[in-house]
Amino acid sequence: MLETFQITKHFGATRALDGIDFSVRPGEIHALVGQNGAGKSTLVKIVSGALSPNAGTVRLDGVPVDIGSPHNALRLGISIVHQHSGLVPSLTVAENMFLGRMPTTKMGLVDWERLRLEATALLARLDFQVDPNRLAESLDAASQQVIEIARALSISARVLILDEPSAVLGTSELERLFDILRKLRAEGKAIVFVSHRLGEVFAICDRATVLRDGRSVGTYVLGGTVDAAYLIHEMVGQGWEDSAARSASAIGHELLRVEMLSRTKAFEGVNLNIRSGEIVGLAGLVGSGRTDICKAIFGALKFDRGGIVVKGRPVRIQDPIDAVKHGIAFLPKDRHGESLILSLPLGWNVTLPVLDQFTSAGVLSHSRERQHVESLVRRLGVRATGPRQPASSLSGGNQQKVALAKWLGTQASIFLLDEPTAGVDVAAKSQIHALVRELARRGAAVLLSSSEVPEILAMSSRILVMNKGRVAGCLEGESATERDILELAT
């Protein structure tokens, strides 16, 4: 249905895509995989009209097409659901689904009744029940993705592209999404599934195309001899080993204790403690309260009751500035909205919390700042042209490394990491895991909040499982199983 032939794209001297051939058939879910920076996003932007190639051809039903713009892509029946929601929060579900294409009366006014009926019919087609008059901002991440898929169906999209759809979803929400995708596949839709999570790729996809350094390595029918290890080898190439094996750290004295922490309608009576050299996992489904707990400890979210003890002393944390003074660092899961200032250079992002280290009498030493940035960039293996490169132009994995580098320059001894490897490739994930273990070996206390159960099991010495805002149980990391966690989480 959709094919690309020898697609090439340059950004200045950088060749992002080099002769990419790719195709997706009717009634197929085709995975597009590769490391961050491999060219996946660039290819997706070309076939969805956000970018134009320097060379090559895109064909739809065997006919060459000049997509040219996202609007033209929609007209041709190509729609994309982005990793980060594209809904307008202040508009209703129905308004978002038909934005720019509202049904009208003979007088030219919006036909609100027809709008509601058409939205209801499309949602029913996906077996999803929600009031079409409900505001988009009141929906969880999984529901927002369903609305975006329904919007694609409203334009009779034949090619549906999903860019990292599971980055914000928990287990139950992900299965609901998979049910919808299977239904669309049965209807003959051509679906492109972009993901770093290979377990999901094998669970839902028929074929996979691997990109590496802007080139197509190959297209494979999934199953049989093509397993996750094979795809990882094709994605990464020679010279890489997974560092997932658990390594013990010396456990020291308690650095952080949270006592009966509560916030109305978010979490209730949460107790936890983390010692020096310890990685404590915080598991649970999306919406279980994990993120809110991290934000409350960091002072980014007010709590109603309870207390926080740092290094044996009760502290009052009213805002993130207080948290940083007490040696607490927080890596939010939303790196675009809360972790980085994308319009600024990566170097400025790294030094924002520690600018006072490079100032004398109010004057900033640019040379000392640059040395600090370059040292951290080398340590974390950030792939960039230099400290002045805009953070927005980095791949997802490199953006996450920059977000981590920002806190490594501080005097933090307590690290709150919320979904630290969301939307990064297998190699970057391994590097981040190694860095987190190194923090623990150096005596830091780490709270690792993640919806990825294998990550929690691989990294944690103890695991707290959240269920509807409460701690449902505590498991020892070495003896815990995926089933133990899911039983407590659900």
Side-chain angles (χ1 to χ4, degrees), residues 1-2 47-48 60-61 65 67 69-80 151-161 189-191:
M1 185 178 290
L2 176 71
V47 299
S48 62
L60 197 61
D61 295 322
V65 292
I67 298 177
S69 70
H71 184 270
N72 199 37
L74 291 175
R75 185 184 63 81
L76 293 168
I78 303 170
S79 183
I80 181 169
R151 179 166 63 186
L153 296 179
S154 74
I155 61 162
S156 301
R158 300 161 60 225
V159 179
L160 181 63
I161 303 168
K189 304 296 184 186
I191 301 170

Side-chain angles (χ1 to χ4, degrees), residues 141-212:
S143 298
Q144 289 184 8
Q145 281 199 337
V146 176
I147 300 308
E148 295 207 58
I149 293 173
R151 179 166 63 186
L153 296 179
S154 74
I155 61 162
S156 301
R158 300 161 60 225
V159 179
L160 181 63
I161 303 168
L162 293 101
D163 187 9
E164 293 289 349
S166 61
V168 294
L169 304 184
T171 304
S172 59
E173 293 91 349
L174 185 61
E175 191 52 46
R176 183 172 70 184
L177 174 64
F178 282 2
D179 286 341
I180 291 172
L181 295 184
R182 293 185 186 104
K183 184 173 183 177
L184 295 177
R185 175 171 58 187
E187 293 178 3
K189 304 296 184 186
I191 301 170
V192 180
F193 189 88
V194 184
S195 180
H196 291 300
R197 298 181 178 182
L198 296 185
E200 299 169 4
V201 168
F202 280 89
I204 193 67
C205 298
D206 305 297
R207 291 190 297 159
T209 292
V210 178
L211 301 186
R212 185 170 75 221

Side-chain angles (χ1 to χ4, degrees), residues 92 223 273:
T92 67
N273 73 304

